[in-house]
Amino acid sequence: MTAPVQETTTQDTKLVLALPKGRILKAAAPLLAGAGILPASDCLDEGSRRLRFPTDDPTLDVVRVRSFDVATFVAFGGAQLGICGADVLMEFDYPEIYAPLDLRIGACRVSVARPKGQGEGDNPARWSRVRVATKYPAITRRHFAARGINADIVHLHGAMELAPVLDLSHLIVDLVDTGSTLRANGLEETETIANVTSRLIVNRTALKTQPERIGALIARFRQALSAPATAETLPA
C-alpha cells in the first residue's frame, strides 16, 4: 500500500526573511522598499502582536524577532535570510551563515567601558584577570584572551551600566551608539573592540538548494544599496 502523497502548501514553499525589532527595523524599511519588499503595514508597528507578516511578494514572508535571535533563526533554517548586526555574527559565529552584504545601516560599536576616572594610574597591561559585565561573553573572552587576560563574565541582558556602579564588575562590554547612556551613568569608553553595521545573512544550505530564489533576493538588496535614492537614506 503506497503512502498518500502529501501536498506542498504555499506556506511551505515561501522564503522567510527574519528582521530585527526596534531601531534597525525602522532603518531597514527604506532598504526593503528599495529591494521591492513591502511587508504588511503593521510589521513596523511596535504595538502589533503579530510575528509573521506577508509581503507584496507572494513567495516571501517576513518574521520580526529579537535582534539577538535573527542569526539563530537563519542558522537553524527557520528563516532562509535575515538582517543581522555584525556584533551578533561575531558573538555566535555560526558556520551555517553566509553574510554576502554589508547593508550600511545600524552603525554602532562594541566597546569596553568603565567608571569615569577609575582607570587613573591603573595599567591594563598588568592585569591577569578582570571581571566584565556583558551580553557578549564570547566576544569579551576572545578580546581579553588575546591580551593574556582572563575575563570573568557577569552575563547580563540589559542595564549593563549598573554593573560597575553596584560592584558587580570592573568593566562592561556593550553596544554603543552615541555614548549618551554611558555618560549619563558615569561611564566612559576606553576602547573599541569592533565597529558594527547590519548585514544581510543567508542560510548556506538554503543558498545551495535554492540558489536562484536566494540569489535573486541578494541581487535585489545589492541593487537597492547602489540606487542613489536609497543611498541618501543610509548613514555615511
Side-chain angles (χ1 to χ4, degrees):
M1 183 174 179
T2 59
V5 177
Q6 184 175 2
E7 293 185 6
T8 302
T9 66
T10 303
Q11 188 87 340
D12 294 332
T13 61
K14 283 188 176 184
L15 293 178
V16 176
L17 170 68
L19 301 175
K21 296 179 180 180
R23 69 182 186 91
I24 302 302
L25 178 56
K26 292 180 181 178
L31 186 58
L32 291 171
I37 299 170
L38 299 177
S41 58
D42 59 331
C43 181
L44 297 177
D45 180 4
E46 294 289 340
S48 174
R49 301 248 178 202
R50 279 210 293 175
L51 299 176
R52 182 167 182 162
F53 305 85
T55 72
D56 60 332
D57 182 342
T59 68
L60 177 69
D61 279 359
V62 300
V63 293
R64 191 179 64 188
V65 300
R66 291 173 62 244
S67 59
F68 240 59
D69 292 335
V70 170
T72 302
F73 273 84
V74 175
F76 285 87
Q80 291 73 43
L81 305 95
I83 292 178
C84 181
D87 57 316
V88 179
L89 298 180
M90 291 170 58
E91 178 63 23
F92 292 104
D93 196 24
Y94 286 121
E96 300 87 355
I97 287 178
Y98 168 53
L101 292 178
D102 183 345
L103 300 177
R104 305 197 301 272
I105 58 175
C108 50
R109 56 201 178 274
V110 179
S111 292
V112 181
R114 64 185 174 194
K116 193 170 183 178
Q118 184 187 71
E120 295 177 3
D122 188 9
N123 184 0
R126 297 178 181 175
W127 295 349
S128 61
R129 183 178 294 272
V130 66
R131 183 177 293 175
V132 188
T134 186
K135 67 177 179 180
Y136 299 106
I139 292 174
T140 301
R141 287 195 180 98
R142 286 197 302 266
H143 173 73
F144 286 101
R147 302 179 178 200
I149 301 171
N150 187 2
D152 293 330
I153 302 298
V154 178
H155 195 177
L156 299 176
H157 296 282
M160 225 70 61
E161 296 81 6
L162 287 175
V165 178
L166 300 178
D167 293 327
L168 290 180
S169 69
H170 179 63
L171 306 172
I172 70 169
V173 169
D174 202 8
L175 201 62
V176 178
D177 183 7
T178 64
S180 58
T181 303
L182 291 178
R183 291 189 293 272
N185 288 279
L187 305 181
E188 61 182 357
E189 288 180 78
T190 59
E191 58 183 319
T192 298
I193 296 177
N195 290 306
V196 171
T197 51
S198 293
R199 314 297 170 93
L200 178 68
I201 63 172
V202 178
N203 178 280
R204 291 183 183 274
T205 300
L207 183 58
K208 288 180 181 178
T209 57
Q210 304 181 72
E212 294 178 359
R213 297 177 71 192
I214 303 288
L217 279 169
I218 294 173
R220 285 160 65 177
F221 275 99
R222 183 175 286 114
Q223 185 175 10
L225 283 170
S226 63
T230 301
E232 291 174 2
T233 69
L234 301 176

